[in-house]
Amino acid sequence: MSSEAAMFLASDVVTTYSKSTGHDLPVEELILPGDFKWGVATAVLQIEGGADQDGKGKSIWDTFSHMNPSRTNNENPDVSCDHYNLWEEDVELMSNLGADVYRFSIAWSRVIPLGSRNDPVNEKGIEFYSNLIDKLLAKNIAPVVTLYHWDAPQGLYNKYKLFLDTEEFTADFENYARLCFSRFGDRVKSWITFNEPYIISIFGHHSGVVAPGHNMETGFDTKKEPWKVGHALILSHAAVVQLYHREFKPTQKGTITIVLNGHLYEPFDTNNQADIDAAERRLIFYVGWFGDPVFLGQDYPACMRQHLGSRLPEFTSEDRQLLRETAPLNAFYGMNHYSTKYARALPGVPADDDWTGHIEETSEDCDGTEIGPASGFQWLRLPIIVTENGCPCPNEDNVEVAINDTFRQRYIGLYLDAISRAIYEDKVPVLGYYAWSLMDNFEWSAGYAPRYGIVHTDYTTLKRTPKGSAYYLKDSMVRRRTTSE
C-alpha cells in the first residue's frame, strides 16, 4: 500500500514527535483582517452517532465500519461523540470559545433514509438539523453546511454503486440538495457540495481504505474507476451549483462552492529538473484534477490527459457548457490543507493503475532534511477559506496530556502567521480559517486512535474538555483581529 493511502489507517498514527525543520520558528501572532472569520469543522459520520435513531437509514460507512475482518481498527461510529443527543451542549461550547462559524455536514441517510429521489423524507432528520441551525444562529455562529462528507446512503450503493453511474447519482444528489436548500436555505447562507472529491475517488475507489472500499484486491477496476468517480463528482457538483443559482439564490442570497484538499509539493531535489516537474505534476493530479473543471470551466489538465490517456473520461459538449456556466458561480476556493511534502520523480514505466503522475511522496528531501511545518499559498489567487486544518498529537487519550497540547497550539499559530503573510505580503484573499476539528472523533479507517480535536472527548463518559489549543484560538483571534483594526 502507498504511504499516501496509509494516512487513513491506525498504523499511521505517530506516538512521538519527530525532529523536523521549522521547530525553532517562533509564532509571531501576525495580524489578520478585522472581518477574518474563524470557526471549527466536523463531519456528521465522525461525531453524530445516533446510527439507528429516529428513522436514520444506513450509510456506506455504517456498512464499511462493521465489516469482518474490520477495516476501521475494530471500531465504529455508531455512538462516536453522540452529537445527535448532545448537540445543544456542543453549540454552547462553540459559543464559549468565540467561534464565528461552524462547518458541519448533513447525513443524507438521516433526511432521506434510502437516498433516492423516489424515497420518502424523514421529518425527524429534518427537525434535528433545523434545530441545530436555529441554535447556532441564536448564538451568532454562522452555519456552513456540507451536503456530502463521504457518507452516501447504502440504499443508493445497493442500487447502482453511487458515483459509477453519473446520471443516476446526479439526479439523486440534485434531489437531496433541493430538499436541503428548500428546508434550510432560508437560514444557511454558505453551502458546500462535496468535501474532498480526491479522497472519495482515490481512497474510496483505488486503495480502498475508505468507504465503499473498492480496490484491486476486492475485484474492482482501479485503472478507470477512480477517474470515473471524479468525473461524476465534478458534473454533479456543477449541476447542483446551477440548481442553487437558478432556483434558490435569488431569494435566499446564499453562496455555494466545493472543498478540495491537497498538500503543497516541493521538489525532492531542487537541482533535478525531473523532481521540479514532479512537484508541479503531483499538485496538478491532486488539485488541478478538480480545480480546472470546477473553477476554470476547463477540461482536465493537459498533463493528466497525456499520462492517463483513455482512462480519463471525456466531457461532452453539454458538460463543457455546464462547467463554463457554473465555474464563476463558485463563491470561494475551499481548501483543506494539513501538510507539505516532497515530490520525487520515479524511474521507469508507471503502473497500469498509477494515480500519482508517477511520483513518490516523501517527508525528507535528497539531503535527508525533513520538511517543516510552515506553508504558503503563493500558487493560489482565488478567494480562499481554509476549511480544514489541524493535527493529531500523541498520547491524548490522557486528558491531562491533551489539555497541554503545546504542539498543536504552535502548529495553529504558525499556520495563522502564514495566512497573514499570504494576505498582506502576497495579496491573496484568504477569508477564514476553520480548525479541524471541534472535538476528537471517529477518524475514518483509523477509528478513534488519532485525536485532532481542540476539545478532548472521553469516549466512555462523552465528557468534552477544551484543550489549550481551543483557548489559544479564542485568544489569538482576539489579539490578531484587534491589532488589525
Side-chain angles (χ1 to χ4, degrees), residues 111-392:
V111 297
I112 309 176
L114 295 177
S116 88
R117 54 200 181 276
N118 301 314
D119 292 321
V121 172
N122 176 22
E123 292 298 335
K124 282 285 190 181
I126 296 291
E127 180 183 8
F128 168 72
Y129 294 111
S130 187
N131 289 340
L132 172 61
I133 291 164
D134 285 345
K135 181 75 170 181
L136 289 167
L137 293 172
K139 294 293 182 177
N140 295 314
I141 300 171
V144 174
V145 177
T146 305
L147 291 171
Y148 186 79
H149 201 133
W150 307 357
D151 57 334
Q154 182 65 35
L156 298 187
Y157 181 84
N158 293 344
K159 284 183 178 180
Y160 56 80
K161 296 295 187 289
L162 294 168
F163 322 104
L164 296 180
D165 189 324
T166 300
E167 185 176 345
E168 281 295 305
F169 178 80
T170 300
D172 284 333
F173 187 59
E174 282 188 275
N175 175 72
Y176 161 59
R178 180 179 279 107
L179 172 68
C180 292
F181 298 153
S182 62
R183 298 297 189 95
F184 311 128
D186 57 330
R187 291 154 291 161
V188 174
K189 302 306 175 185
S190 184
W191 295 95
I192 293 165
T193 54
F194 295 105
N195 182 76
E196 301 182 347
Y198 179 94
I199 303 298
I200 300 167
S201 304
I202 298 298
F203 289 75
H205 297 82
H206 190 285
S207 63
V209 298
V210 303
H214 291 194
N215 56 30
M216 188 182 297
E217 289 73 20
T218 50
F220 292 94
D221 180 5
T222 54
K223 287 180 63 177
K224 292 188 175 181
E225 196 170 289
W227 316 106
K228 187 173 183 180
V229 170
H231 200 72
L233 293 170
I234 290 166
L235 292 175
S236 53
H237 162 78
V240 166
V241 168
Q242 183 185 67
L243 165 70
Y244 183 76
H245 277 262
R246 286 183 175 179
E247 298 186 19
F248 295 95
K249 186 177 176 63
T251 56
Q252 296 179 354
K253 310 299 183 184
T255 64
I256 191 166
T257 192
I258 195 170
V259 163
L260 306 184
N261 68 299
H263 308 297
L264 184 65
Y265 290 92
E266 300 287 353
F268 176 76
D269 183 349
T270 56
N271 294 314
N272 183 347
Q273 187 61 46
D275 288 346
I276 294 171
D277 294 342
E280 176 68 15
R281 188 166 65 253
R282 188 68 190 102
L283 193 58
I284 288 171
F285 267 67
Y286 217 131
V287 180
W289 175 11
F290 298 97
D292 280 15
V294 168
F295 292 105
L296 302 180
Q298 297 178 356
D299 190 20
Y300 296 115
C303 76
M304 293 187 70
R305 284 277 179 215
Q306 180 180 2
H307 185 84
L308 296 170
S310 63
R311 294 168 60 193
L312 198 59
E314 297 285 346
F315 291 114
T316 66
S317 58
E318 292 81 5
D319 295 339
R320 289 173 183 268
Q321 177 58 37
L322 176 64
L323 294 174
R324 285 193 294 270
E325 176 188 333
T326 56
L329 304 181
N330 293 283
F332 61 87
Y333 182 104
M335 185 65 179
N336 295 349
H337 183 264
Y338 290 84
S339 63
T340 299
K341 296 188 176 184
Y342 293 112
R344 182 181 190 180
L346 291 173
V349 178
D352 287 345
D353 64 347
D354 174 63
W355 74 99
T356 66
H358 201 41
I359 71 101
E360 177 187 22
E361 298 181 1
T362 72
S363 59
E364 294 183 352
D365 68 7
C366 61
D367 297 320
T369 303
E370 190 173 12
I371 206 153
S375 59
F377 294 95
Q378 288 81 353
W379 55 278
L380 294 172
R381 286 295 181 269
L382 292 166
I384 299 163
I385 294 177
V386 179
T387 41
E388 287 182 23
N389 174 253
C391 65

Side-chain angles (χ1 to χ4, degrees), residues 393-460:
C393 295
N395 307 315
E396 285 198 341
D397 287 351
N398 183 333
V399 68
E400 297 303 321
V401 173
I403 60 176
N404 188 32
D405 61 342
T406 54
F407 182 90
R408 182 180 289 110
Q409 293 171 51
R410 192 165 172 282
Y411 173 97
I412 292 171
L414 289 172
Y415 205 94
L416 293 175
D417 282 349
I419 289 176
S420 176
R421 292 188 186 97
I423 294 171
Y424 292 106
E425 296 177 15
D426 298 315
K427 309 305 179 186
V428 180
V430 187
L431 308 180
Y433 173 91
Y434 307 161
W436 185 269
S437 175
L438 169 61
M439 66 185 80
D440 300 331
N441 55 54
F442 180 78
E443 281 292 340
W444 309 109
S445 298
Y448 295 101
R451 290 176 174 266
Y452 279 82
I454 61 170
V455 174
H456 178 272
T457 305
D458 184 317
Y459 295 119
T460 302

